[in-house]
Amino acid sequence: MKFSGIKNYVILFLTLFGLSLLLSSGCKKDKEELSLSILLPEAEYIAGSQFLTIKASGDWTLTIGSSGTSSAEWAWLTSYSSNDRQISLRGSGNASNIALNWDENDSQDLRSCILTLSSKGERVQQNFSQKGSDKIGGIATELKSDKLTNWLELPATKEGDGLYFITHSATIGGKYGRNYSFYWDPKALVAHWVAYPLNRGLISSGSRTDLWDLNPKVPRQYQPVLLRGYSGGSFQRGHQLPSADRYSYEANVQTFYGTNITPQRGALNENIWATLETTVRDWSKNLDTLYVVTGCVIEGSTEFVNDNEGKRVTVPTGYYKALLGYKQNASIGGSTKGFVGIAFYFDHKGYSNDYTTMMKQSMTISALEKKVGVDFFVNLPAKIGADLAQKVETGIDPFWK
């Protein structure tokens, strides 16, 4: 009987010990499940946004707080259900639809905030920082080129031609990456070309912002101020990278920089040029990526308009698009490793606004190179070889018909 009693105590002890381990394990599991992930823990000085990833097993609260002496008024939270600026949001379970947003940093100082996720008495924290601007008043004081890359959309640039290669990055669909690049002419005050990748994901979702602004990477005296329309002629503010090609907020804002705009006649801009832009977007949705170069020709121009500060802007004599499409494991470009090309050129005038007229303006990439004097898609030979690259640039695949 005595041994039996001891045995019962041992069993009871083991049972309670096991239960304790189970409860401890459960608590540990709950604690481990609570997490907050930030894809981009440090952002550039420009305004932007990104989605956060929350993992929680129950109700939670997410709050933005100050870090040290730095105020957190420049950062805020939004959700799919509300675009209002919030410093605190509540939810339950896992979530990936909460966006962290931030204003442009006009200061030269780095600033930070702390995001705190709380649930069931537990909490996790993540720091988020934004770099200070190297600009005065948010605008560059020196005009200089960015470092060249091997992106497929880029045309050739030339040393000492008085033009500047500049690129912009942005948060698009929750991911931070390149938005577009351009070749800037500080005398004509237009970009000779704007180059960018395009597909469904890069078009993303959102709406036109119409936030006309200065480009922070170009000194004010070397760019047009176009908060209002041009003066000195009936020209529209024509986008080179269309606003409708970039609907994520930060990326769309960058399409309204004056450096992405040229003085364009409405007879072209509102009609067949708009038809081409829509067609290009439709093509991109059937490709993995469509690499686009949109450009203007200013040689021989005798027309000028003024920006909002009286600076003279050259009116282009023509416009073009060079397109390089890619689709893996597809019937298109079967002999060119999935790459296909086509180009378009329009004099700066009105055309009949129909698909047939648009396609009559098409040509090979090689033909457009000879016409405008630009070497397009210079990084393609390194990707597929010089012979195949030449084949892409001298032919037009049935995909485009």
Side-chain angles (χ1 to χ4, degrees):
M1 293 292 295
K2 186 175 182 180
F3 175 76
S4 176
I6 293 174
K7 181 179 179 181
N8 289 337
Y9 279 119
V10 171
I11 292 172
L12 178 60
F13 172 77
L14 291 174
T15 301
L16 292 174
F17 181 71
L19 181 60
S20 175
L21 286 176
L22 181 62
L23 291 173
S24 175
S25 174
C27 292
K28 184 177 181 180
K29 183 178 180 181
D30 286 346
K31 186 174 182 179
E32 290 177 346
E33 285 181 350
L34 184 65
S35 68
L36 172 64
S37 299
I38 301 178
L39 180 66
L40 183 70
E42 184 177 84
E44 297 295 327
Y45 71 93
I46 57 178
S49 64
Q50 63 176 319
F51 285 110
L52 305 173
T53 301
I54 294 172
K55 291 185 178 180
S57 59
D59 295 340
W60 49 261
T61 301
L62 179 62
T63 304
I64 296 181
S66 301
S67 175
T69 58
S70 176
S71 167
E73 295 179 354
W74 52 276
W76 71 96
L77 302 169
T78 56
S79 66
Y80 282 164
S81 59
S82 174
N83 286 322
D84 294 336
R85 294 174 71 125
Q86 304 284 341
I87 61 170
S88 182
L89 287 175
R90 296 178 182 274
S92 183
N94 297 339
S96 57
N97 61 351
I98 304 300
L100 170 64
N101 313 270
W102 56 92
D103 292 321
E104 182 169 320
N105 188 359
D106 293 329
S107 167
Q108 294 180 311
D109 299 325
L110 178 80
R111 59 187 182 185
S112 302
C113 63
I114 298 176
L115 286 85
T116 302
L117 178 66
S118 304
S119 178
K120 298 181 179 179
E122 302 290 343
R123 72 174 188 173
V124 293
Q125 292 184 318
Q126 293 284 359
N127 289 324
F128 174 71
S129 301
Q130 185 183 27
K131 295 178 182 178
S133 174
D134 59 356
K135 317 293 187 287
I136 295 177
I139 303 297
T141 57
E142 178 186 359
L143 182 58
K144 56 185 179 180
S145 288
D146 288 327
K147 184 178 180 181
L148 283 170
T149 70
N150 60 352
W151 296 331
L152 282 178
E153 67 267 20
L154 294 181
T157 60
K158 300 176 183 178
E159 292 289 340
D161 61 359
L163 305 180
Y164 295 82
F165 171 77
I166 299 171
T167 188
H168 286 294
S169 297
T171 300
I172 303 176
K175 296 181 179 180
Y176 189 76
R178 74 184 187 271
N179 189 10
Y180 67 92
S181 305
F182 62 99
Y183 207 32
W184 185 244
D185 188 332
K187 294 182 179 180
L189 295 186
V190 294
H192 285 216
W193 49 255
V194 177
Y196 50 96
L198 188 65
N199 55 34
R200 286 182 182 271
L202 292 170
I203 294 172
S204 193
S205 60
S207 60
R208 180 184 171 104
T209 61
D210 276 307
L211 295 176
W212 300 92
D213 205 352
L214 298 180
N215 189 323
K217 300 186 78 171
V218 178
R220 190 182 188 109
Q221 67 268 30
Y222 297 130
Q223 65 171 302
V225 178
L226 298 174
L227 307 183
R228 303 180 304 279
Y230 295 101
S231 60
S234 56
F235 292 91
Q236 298 179 350
R237 294 174 290 183
H239 287 66
Q240 297 216 66
L241 166 58
S243 166
D245 284 6
R246 294 289 193 267
Y247 274 145
S248 284
Y249 180 82
E250 181 184 3
N252 190 266
V253 167
Q254 292 177 358
T255 70
F256 284 91
Y257 292 160
T259 50
N260 185 48
I261 307 301
T262 69
Q264 199 169 38
R265 289 185 170 85
L268 179 68
N269 185 39
E270 291 181 338
N271 295 294
I272 201 165
W273 190 255
T275 297
L276 176 60
E277 290 177 335
T278 300
T279 304
V280 168
R281 277 191 294 276
D282 290 341
W283 279 332
S284 78
K285 294 172 184 178
N286 293 313
L287 295 164
D288 293 343
T289 305
L290 179 58
Y291 301 97
V292 184
V293 183
T294 301
C296 65
V297 175
I298 62 171
E299 286 76 9
S301 176
T302 58
E303 287 188 280
F304 302 91
V305 291
N306 294 325
D307 77 343
N308 301 160
E309 296 180 334
K311 295 195 292 291
R312 196 166 78 161
V313 182
T314 301
V315 176
T317 59
Y319 289 89
Y320 63 81
K321 283 186 183 288
L323 310 176
L324 175 65
Y326 173 70
K327 191 171 183 66
Q328 188 178 25
N329 300 325
S331 58
I332 68 169
S335 60
T336 51
K337 296 186 178 180
F339 286 94
V340 292
I342 194 172
F344 294 82
Y345 182 87
F346 293 86
D347 289 322
H348 195 178
K349 64 179 185 179
Y351 290 78
S352 298
N353 187 18
D354 58 81
Y355 185 83
T356 300
T357 301
M358 183 194 80
M359 292 305 297
K360 284 182 179 179
Q361 298 303 122
S362 67
M363 62 187 70
T364 66
I365 293 172
S366 179
L368 181 63
E369 289 177 332
K370 293 177 182 178
K371 186 173 183 65
V372 301
V374 177
D375 185 4
F376 298 108
F377 310 119
V378 293
N379 296 309
L380 183 60
K383 183 77 173 178
I384 62 174
D387 290 343
L388 290 184
Q390 183 180 18
K391 189 174 181 179
V392 171
E393 295 190 2
T394 56
I396 297 180
D397 192 89
F399 169 80
W400 307 109
K401 302 301 174 108

